Amino acid sequence: MRFVVESISLQHGYPVEKPTIYRSKFYFVRFDDGTSGYIPVSERPSFLTEEPEVTLAALAASRAASRQSCEERGYPKLNMTKEEVVATCWGTPRRVFRSRVALTREYTIYDRGRFLTFENGRLVAIH
């Protein structure tokens, strides 16, 4: 359903004895069918600003481009250096942990539970 935001309003009211403590912001909206109402500002991230088909097409194109880029850059392979791994489609890790037990061991953590293990600067395990 489509709507137009006509204004933003502040509403006081909680707690009743001191209503200025909490302020809520609402969008006053008018829908296609002529009805109107209020939507909390906190719901703004779920609004679409364009037709759903346009949004879905753009998302599909973005994912296809991302997959293509990943295929071109390749995936991590055993014995790669840290620099070579960063050049793959896995890119830069979210976190790095280092351990110094006999060998210099490093764990790089990526999204979706993926991580790599390096020993002395070389990739030895892909998890």
Side-chain angles (χ1 to χ4, degrees):
M1 179 173 278
R2 296 181 186 153
F3 60 85
V4 174
V5 175
E6 294 191 352
S7 65
I8 297 177
S9 69
L10 296 175
Q11 186 167 358
H12 306 281
Y14 297 101
V16 175
E17 54 280 354
K18 288 190 178 182
T20 57
I21 289 177
Y22 296 101
R23 298 185 123 173
S24 298
K25 289 184 181 179
F26 294 90
Y27 291 112
F28 177 72
V29 298
R30 187 162 311 280
F31 292 91
D32 286 355
D33 63 3
T35 60
S36 61
Y38 293 90
I39 298 176
V41 170
S42 61
E43 293 298 317
R44 176 64 182 101
S46 61
F47 292 3
L48 292 177
T49 57
E50 57 190 17
E51 293 294 325
E53 296 81 17
V54 173
T55 301
L56 291 173
L59 182 59
S62 172
R63 286 182 177 159
S66 180
R67 276 193 300 275
Q68 177 67 29
S69 172
C70 196
E71 292 298 325
E72 290 170 3
R73 292 168 59 198
Y75 296 90
K77 294 178 180 63
L78 295 178
N79 208 33
M80 282 184 160
T81 64
K82 290 178 260 184
E83 293 78 18
E84 290 170 330
V85 169
V86 168
T88 70
C89 70
W90 281 33
T92 305
R94 296 188 94 191
R95 286 187 161 185
V96 176
F97 296 98
R98 290 182 179 88
S99 153
R100 300 204 188 277
V101 180
L103 299 170
T104 301
R105 185 172 285 165
E106 185 173 282
Y107 303 94
T108 57
I109 313 299
Y110 290 83
D111 292 332
R112 297 184 304 227
R114 302 177 301 175
F115 68 96
L116 304 174
T117 304
F118 290 87
E119 287 182 0
N120 294 326
R122 292 289 182 170
L123 181 60
V124 295
I126 302 171
H127 309 275

